[in-house]
Amino acid sequence: MDLTDNVARQRELYGATIGECLRRITGTLGLSQAAVARTTGISAPMLSQLASGHRIKIGNPHAAARFFSLLQLVDEVGTGLAHEQVATRVAEISREETMPLTGSREVTATTAPTDVAAAVSGVLRAVASGRELAAAAAVLEEEHPGIAEVLRAYGTGSAADAHRHHASIAHLA
């Protein structure tokens, strides 16, 4: 495959190229590419290869979830999140403990609540933007308020919001 094919594949996978996503993150959040690499856990050279189209996808599901959390944060800034809160949210994202989405570790009933909350957040943020999740929550609110609450807590809320919600329903699982 050549760069054109790689970029086309990134658009299929993510709806945009990694380079476009990276520019949104650095431009809106004021982070350098090196800071994005540190926050996500992707090496700076790997992030550069992804951004330039030399590599197609983020192979580590933990890093992918954190990368998409940063994109979701960009959406939050666009919908009114105060810039003073960005540094706190970036720090939360860098500490996110996400679970592999590839089945390399079995999830059991004894999984720590913070792992479950992060995993659900990672999945939602990998498949939709913050705006899309907020819109879905608004549509569902009247007839399915519980689902709308899950979308807001895990999809558009902070890691702390997701953990609080999970703790409030853990007795049901």
Side-chain angles (χ1 to χ4, degrees), residues 12-29:
E12 289 173 21
L13 289 169
Y14 304 119
T17 69
I18 297 291
E20 291 165 346
C21 294
L22 183 59
R23 284 187 290 282
R24 284 184 62 214
I25 291 168
T26 58
T28 302
L29 303 181

PDB file of all heavy atoms in Angstrom, residues 12-29:
ATOM      1  N   GLU A  12     -11.542   5.591   6.345  1.00  0.00           N
ATOM      2  CA  GLU A  12     -12.550   4.538   6.526  1.00  0.00           C
ATOM      3  C   GLU A  12     -12.661   4.132   7.989  1.00  0.00           C
ATOM      4  O   GLU A  12     -13.756   3.949   8.510  1.00  0.00           O
ATOM      5  CB  GLU A  12     -12.180   3.299   5.705  1.00  0.00           C
ATOM      6  CG  GLU A  12     -12.334   3.449   4.222  1.00  0.00           C
ATOM      7  CD  GLU A  12     -11.780   2.239   3.467  1.00  0.00           C
ATOM      8  OE1 GLU A  12     -11.648   1.152   4.079  1.00  0.00           O
ATOM      9  OE2 GLU A  12     -11.470   2.393   2.278  1.00  0.00           O
ATOM     10  N   LEU A  13     -11.520   3.972   8.650  1.00  0.00           N
ATOM     11  CA  LEU A  13     -11.501   3.509  10.035  1.00  0.00           C
ATOM     12  C   LEU A  13     -11.978   4.556  11.020  1.00  0.00           C
ATOM     13  O   LEU A  13     -12.710   4.255  11.962  1.00  0.00           O
ATOM     14  CB  LEU A  13     -10.084   3.072  10.432  1.00  0.00           C
ATOM     15  CG  LEU A  13      -9.566   1.789   9.813  1.00  0.00           C
ATOM     16  CD1 LEU A  13      -8.073   1.635  10.086  1.00  0.00           C
ATOM     17  CD2 LEU A  13     -10.322   0.599  10.375  1.00  0.00           C
ATOM     18  N   TYR A  14     -11.520   5.796  10.843  1.00  0.00           N
ATOM     19  CA  TYR A  14     -11.709   6.824  11.859  1.00  0.00           C
ATOM     20  C   TYR A  14     -12.587   7.992  11.426  1.00  0.00           C
ATOM     21  O   TYR A  14     -12.874   8.866  12.229  1.00  0.00           O
ATOM     22  CB  TYR A  14     -10.344   7.378  12.302  1.00  0.00           C
ATOM     23  CG  TYR A  14      -9.390   6.317  12.809  1.00  0.00           C
ATOM     24  CD1 TYR A  14      -8.176   6.094  12.186  1.00  0.00           C
ATOM     25  CD2 TYR A  14      -9.708   5.537  13.915  1.00  0.00           C
ATOM     26  CE1 TYR A  14      -7.286   5.126  12.656  1.00  0.00           C
ATOM     27  CE2 TYR A  14      -8.839   4.568  14.388  1.00  0.00           C
ATOM     28  CZ  TYR A  14      -7.628   4.366  13.754  1.00  0.00           C
ATOM     29  OH  TYR A  14      -6.768   3.408  14.216  1.00  0.00           O
ATOM     30  N   GLY A  15     -12.964   8.037  10.148  1.00  0.00           N
ATOM     31  CA  GLY A  15     -13.760   9.157   9.658  1.00  0.00           C
ATOM     32  C   GLY A  15     -12.920  10.358   9.292  1.00  0.00           C
ATOM     33  O   GLY A  15     -13.428  11.344   8.777  1.00  0.00           O
ATOM     34  N   ALA A  16     -11.645  10.312   9.560  1.00  0.00           N
ATOM     35  CA  ALA A  16     -10.684  11.372   9.243  1.00  0.00           C
ATOM     36  C   ALA A  16      -9.299  10.738   9.315  1.00  0.00           C
ATOM     37  O   ALA A  16      -9.149   9.642   9.842  1.00  0.00           O
ATOM     38  CB  ALA A  16     -10.784  12.523  10.239  1.00  0.00           C
ATOM     39  N   THR A  17      -8.314  11.443   8.808  1.00  0.00           N
ATOM     40  CA  THR A  17      -6.960  10.914   8.933  1.00  0.00           C
ATOM     41  C   THR A  17      -6.444  11.184  10.334  1.00  0.00           C
ATOM     42  O   THR A  17      -6.922  12.097  11.019  1.00  0.00           O
ATOM     43  CB  THR A  17      -6.002  11.555   7.912  1.00  0.00           C
ATOM     44  OG1 THR A  17      -5.796  12.927   8.271  1.00  0.00           O
ATOM     45  CG2 THR A  17      -6.531  11.436   6.488  1.00  0.00           C
ATOM     46  N   ILE A  18      -5.472  10.403  10.755  1.00  0.00           N
ATOM     47  CA  ILE A  18      -4.844  10.640  12.058  1.00  0.00           C
ATOM     48  C   ILE A  18      -4.222  12.033  12.057  1.00  0.00           C
ATOM     49  O   ILE A  18      -4.283  12.754  13.059  1.00  0.00           O
ATOM     50  CB  ILE A  18      -3.785   9.560  12.380  1.00  0.00           C
ATOM     51  CG1 ILE A  18      -4.437   8.181  12.477  1.00  0.00           C
ATOM     52  CG2 ILE A  18      -3.024   9.904  13.655  1.00  0.00           C
ATOM     53  CD1 ILE A  18      -5.350   7.966  13.653  1.00  0.00           C
ATOM     54  N   GLY A  19      -3.637  12.429  10.931  1.00  0.00           N
ATOM     55  CA  GLY A  19      -3.041  13.768  10.828  1.00  0.00           C
ATOM     56  C   GLY A  19      -4.065  14.867  11.068  1.00  0.00           C
ATOM     57  O   GLY A  19      -3.793  15.834  11.782  1.00  0.00           O
ATOM     58  N   GLU A  20      -5.259  14.727  10.490  1.00  0.00           N
ATOM     59  CA  GLU A  20      -6.326  15.713  10.699  1.00  0.00           C
ATOM     60  C   GLU A  20      -6.756  15.731  12.166  1.00  0.00           C
ATOM     61  O   GLU A  20      -6.931  16.806  12.758  1.00  0.00           O
ATOM     62  CB  GLU A  20      -7.525  15.394   9.799  1.00  0.00           C
ATOM     63  CG  GLU A  20      -7.255  15.615   8.336  1.00  0.00           C
ATOM     64  CD  GLU A  20      -8.290  14.976   7.415  1.00  0.00           C
ATOM     65  OE1 GLU A  20      -9.092  14.125   7.873  1.00  0.00           O
ATOM     66  OE2 GLU A  20      -8.280  15.311   6.225  1.00  0.00           O
ATOM     67  N   CYS A  21      -6.917  14.548  12.727  1.00  0.00           N
ATOM     68  CA  CYS A  21      -7.299  14.456  14.145  1.00  0.00           C
ATOM     69  C   CYS A  21      -6.225  15.084  15.030  1.00  0.00           C
ATOM     70  O   CYS A  21      -6.544  15.835  15.963  1.00  0.00           O
ATOM     71  CB  CYS A  21      -7.504  12.998  14.544  1.00  0.00           C
ATOM     72  SG  CYS A  21      -8.902  12.194  13.731  1.00  0.00           S
ATOM     73  N   LEU A  22      -4.973  14.798  14.724  1.00  0.00           N
ATOM     74  CA  LEU A  22      -3.861  15.337  15.508  1.00  0.00           C
ATOM     75  C   LEU A  22      -3.835  16.860  15.432  1.00  0.00           C
ATOM     76  O   LEU A  22      -3.641  17.538  16.447  1.00  0.00           O
ATOM     77  CB  LEU A  22      -2.540  14.738  15.034  1.00  0.00           C
ATOM     78  CG  LEU A  22      -1.290  15.145  15.811  1.00  0.00           C
ATOM     79  CD1 LEU A  22      -1.399  14.758  17.281  1.00  0.00           C
ATOM     80  CD2 LEU A  22      -0.061  14.503  15.178  1.00  0.00           C
ATOM     81  N   ARG A  23      -4.076  17.407  14.253  1.00  0.00           N
ATOM     82  CA  ARG A  23      -4.103  18.879  14.109  1.00  0.00           C
ATOM     83  C   ARG A  23      -5.252  19.486  14.911  1.00  0.00           C
ATOM     84  O   ARG A  23      -5.103  20.555  15.506  1.00  0.00           O
ATOM     85  CB  ARG A  23      -4.178  19.276  12.638  1.00  0.00           C
ATOM     86  CG  ARG A  23      -2.833  19.125  11.923  1.00  0.00           C
ATOM     87  CD  ARG A  23      -2.849  19.678  10.505  1.00  0.00           C
ATOM     88  NE  ARG A  23      -3.647  18.894   9.583  1.00  0.00           N
ATOM     89  CZ  ARG A  23      -3.259  17.742   9.027  1.00  0.00           C
ATOM     90  NH1 ARG A  23      -2.083  17.235   9.305  1.00  0.00           N
ATOM     91  NH2 ARG A  23      -4.051  17.114   8.184  1.00  0.00           N
ATOM     92  N   ARG A  24      -6.400  18.809  14.955  1.00  0.00           N
ATOM     93  CA  ARG A  24      -7.518  19.296  15.779  1.00  0.00           C
ATOM     94  C   ARG A  24      -7.124  19.310  17.246  1.00  0.00           C
ATOM     95  O   ARG A  24      -7.410  20.262  17.976  1.00  0.00           O
ATOM     96  CB  ARG A  24      -8.751  18.408  15.600  1.00  0.00           C
ATOM     97  CG  ARG A  24      -9.486  18.626  14.295  1.00  0.00           C
ATOM     98  CD  ARG A  24     -10.756  17.785  14.198  1.00  0.00           C
ATOM     99  NE  ARG A  24     -11.689  18.149  15.253  1.00  0.00           N
ATOM    100  CZ  ARG A  24     -12.508  17.277  15.854  1.00  0.00           C
ATOM    101  NH1 ARG A  24     -12.506  16.006  15.519  1.00  0.00           N
ATOM    102  NH2 ARG A  24     -13.320  17.687  16.800  1.00  0.00           N
ATOM    103  N   ILE A  25      -6.464  18.236  17.677  1.00  0.00           N
ATOM    104  CA  ILE A  25      -6.055  18.125  19.085  1.00  0.00           C
ATOM    105  C   ILE A  25      -5.033  19.200  19.421  1.00  0.00           C
ATOM    106  O   ILE A  25      -5.197  19.931  20.409  1.00  0.00           O
ATOM    107  CB  ILE A  25      -5.505  16.715  19.383  1.00  0.00           C
ATOM    108  CG1 ILE A  25      -6.631  15.672  19.315  1.00  0.00           C
ATOM    109  CG2 ILE A  25      -4.813  16.677  20.734  1.00  0.00           C
ATOM    110  CD1 ILE A  25      -6.145  14.224  19.306  1.00  0.00           C
ATOM    111  N   THR A  26      -3.972  19.301  18.631  1.00  0.00           N
ATOM    112  CA  THR A  26      -2.912  20.266  18.951  1.00  0.00           C
ATOM    113  C   THR A  26      -3.424  21.694  18.829  1.00  0.00           C
ATOM    114  O   THR A  26      -3.094  22.535  19.659  1.00  0.00           O
ATOM    115  CB  THR A  26      -1.667  20.055  18.064  1.00  0.00           C
ATOM    116  OG1 THR A  26      -2.029  20.176  16.683  1.00  0.00           O
ATOM    117  CG2 THR A  26      -1.026  18.703  18.325  1.00  0.00           C
ATOM    118  N   GLY A  27      -4.238  21.967  17.817  1.00  0.00           N
ATOM    119  CA  GLY A  27      -4.746  23.324  17.620  1.00  0.00           C
ATOM    120  C   GLY A  27      -5.719  23.770  18.690  1.00  0.00           C
ATOM    121  O   GLY A  27      -5.643  24.892  19.193  1.00  0.00           O
ATOM    122  N   THR A  28      -6.630  22.907  19.066  1.00  0.00           N
ATOM    123  CA  THR A  28      -7.661  23.277  20.034  1.00  0.00           C
ATOM    124  C   THR A  28      -7.161  23.202  21.473  1.00  0.00           C
ATOM    125  O   THR A  28      -7.474  24.067  22.289  1.00  0.00           O
ATOM    126  CB  THR A  28      -8.901  22.369  19.874  1.00  0.00           C
ATOM    127  OG1 THR A  28      -9.383  22.477  18.538  1.00  0.00           O
ATOM    128  CG2 THR A  28     -10.000  22.760  20.847  1.00  0.00           C
ATOM    129  N   LEU A  29      -6.403  22.158  21.782  1.00  0.00           N
ATOM    130  CA  LEU A  29      -5.979  21.952  23.166  1.00  0.00           C
ATOM    131  C   LEU A  29      -4.652  22.624  23.484  1.00  0.00           C
ATOM    132  O   LEU A  29      -4.251  22.687  24.649  1.00  0.00           O
ATOM    133  CB  LEU A  29      -5.887  20.456  23.480  1.00  0.00           C
ATOM    134  CG  LEU A  29      -7.163  19.643  23.251  1.00  0.00           C
ATOM    135  CD1 LEU A  29      -6.939  18.188  23.621  1.00  0.00           C
ATOM    136  CD2 LEU A  29      -8.341  20.240  24.017  1.00  0.00           C
TER     137      LEU A  29
END
